[in-house]
């Protein structure tokens, strides 16, 4: 038993304690919780290390260190310890993302060593709902993407990612990891789209993270030629209906604060702001 203040890389035997920390904020932690519930804490299966911070022998804070660096329930002292560990290890992640306050503190400590960032999105509203909207009819043409439709949905996913992040997901490894992630979401029935009469994607979104307590919608995209035509709100309502019926009782998402049309759409569908995330992109 650890009896002092310290940080260390967690091991598979620490799973229950880690899940207890993650469970304190089920909405904010949905992304990491969903990975841990599937893969445990083995770094090879998890796709990264889980760092733990102990206060008086009790695990109180976490930090996922994989493709993303994600502080979880991180106190200021924990953030300092995680920043020191990250600095010594060197940058291996493509982003730092998480609740705005600890993520901002983490970036302030790492920026002298890892900066400059390609982009810093300091305030990304975290939005939540647990019910269907009363005045938006779900789009009846939004449905689950079939496994034989990968060639149809992938270009829309690439377009969304490039628009949102500013770089193509096909760079580096030729897009192998990204294509595998899209295929995973399609294969698990968490990819949704509306196609036009020519089989082209009009609207799409995914349920990217899912636990029994909460899930997270991501990758919302409307084809440019259909923007401003009232497609997004009914499409989101359709995905929300699937999410509440089949996945979790609470549905969340986070959005860039400068994306006024998207925020307006999400509010129309019933999402309410409950906090904020921050993303640092490299």
């Amino acid at each position: 038993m650890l009896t002092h203040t310290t940080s260390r890389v967690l091991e598979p035997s620490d799973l229950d304690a880690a899940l207890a920390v993650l469970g304190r904020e089920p909405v904010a932690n949905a992304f990491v919780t969903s990975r841990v519930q599937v893969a445990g804490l083995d770094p090879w299966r998890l796709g990264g290390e889980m760092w733990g911070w102990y206060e008086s022998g009790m695990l109180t804070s976490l930090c996922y260190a994989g493709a993303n660096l994600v502080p979880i329930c991180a106190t200021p002292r924990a953030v300092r310890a995680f920043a020191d560990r990250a600095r010594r290890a060197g940058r291996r992640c493509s982003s730092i993302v998480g609740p705005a306050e600890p993520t901002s503190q983490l970036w302030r400590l790492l920026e002298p060593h890892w900066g400059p960032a390609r982009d810093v999105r300091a305030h990304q509203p975290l939005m939540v709902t647990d019910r269907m909207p009363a005045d938006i009819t779900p789009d009846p043409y939004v449905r689950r993407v079939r496994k034989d439709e990968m060639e149809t949905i992938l270009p829309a996913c690439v377009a969304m990612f490039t628009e949102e992040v500013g770089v193509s997901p096909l760079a580096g490894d030729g897009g192998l990891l990204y294509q595998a992630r899209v295929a995973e979401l399609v294969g698990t029935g968490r990819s949704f789209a509306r196609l036009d009469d020519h089989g082209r994607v009009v609207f799409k979104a995914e349920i990217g993270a899912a636990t029994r307590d909460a899930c997270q919608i991501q990758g919302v995209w409307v084809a440019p030629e259909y923007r401003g035509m009232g497609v997004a709100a009914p499409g989101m309502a359709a995905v929300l209906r699937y999410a509440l019926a089949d996945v979790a009782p609470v549905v969340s998402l986070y959005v860039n604060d400068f994306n006024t049309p998207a925020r307006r759409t999400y509010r129309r569908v019933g999402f309410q702001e409950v906090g904020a995330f921050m993303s640092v992109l490299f």
Side-chain angles (χ1 to χ4, degrees), residues 61-234:
S61 302
L62 304 170
C63 187
Y64 172 70
N68 316 105
L69 190 66
V70 186
I72 300 153
C73 300
T75 64
R77 294 179 72 190
V79 169
R80 287 193 293 272
F82 295 147
D84 185 58
R85 183 177 289 273
R87 179 186 55 76
R88 287 186 279 109
R91 185 175 71 81
R92 303 172 185 174
C93 60
S94 60
S95 68
I96 306 172
V97 60
E101 185 173 345
T103 302
S104 175
Q105 183 186 2
L106 187 58
W107 177 232
R108 283 198 302 271
L109 295 170
L110 287 174
E111 185 177 12
H113 310 281
W114 286 10
R118 182 171 55 82
D119 194 8
V120 176
R121 299 177 181 181
H123 184 81
Q124 297 171 300
L126 175 64
M127 307 183 76
V128 170
T129 188
D130 61 0
R131 65 199 64 192
M132 291 296 296
D135 56 349
I136 301 290
T137 301
D139 186 338
Y141 296 102
V142 171
R143 59 170 176 81
R144 283 189 167 92
V145 176
R146 301 192 307 265
K147 293 180 182 179
D148 63 354
E149 293 176 317
M150 271 293 293
E151 290 187 3
T152 298
I153 198 64
L154 184 61
C157 294
V158 171
M160 179 283 307
F161 187 99
T162 305
E163 226 178 285
E164 171 70 17
V165 180
V167 297
S168 171
L170 305 183
D173 65 352
L176 294 178
L177 286 175
Y178 186 73
Q179 291 179 61
R181 177 57 175 161
V182 173
E184 177 191 354
L185 292 171
V186 170
T188 55
R190 303 214 308 267
S191 176
F192 303 87
R194 175 179 179 169
L195 307 185
D196 66 15
D197 293 339
H198 302 286
R200 295 172 300 203
V201 177
V202 173
F203 166 91
K204 72 128 195 119
E206 297 89 36
I207 300 172
T211 73
R212 66 174 178 268
D213 298 313
C215 64
Q216 186 178 92
I217 293 177
Q218 66 174 40
V220 180
W221 184 82
V222 175
E225 61 269 30
Y226 286 95
R227 292 174 188 175
M229 298 175 63
V231 168

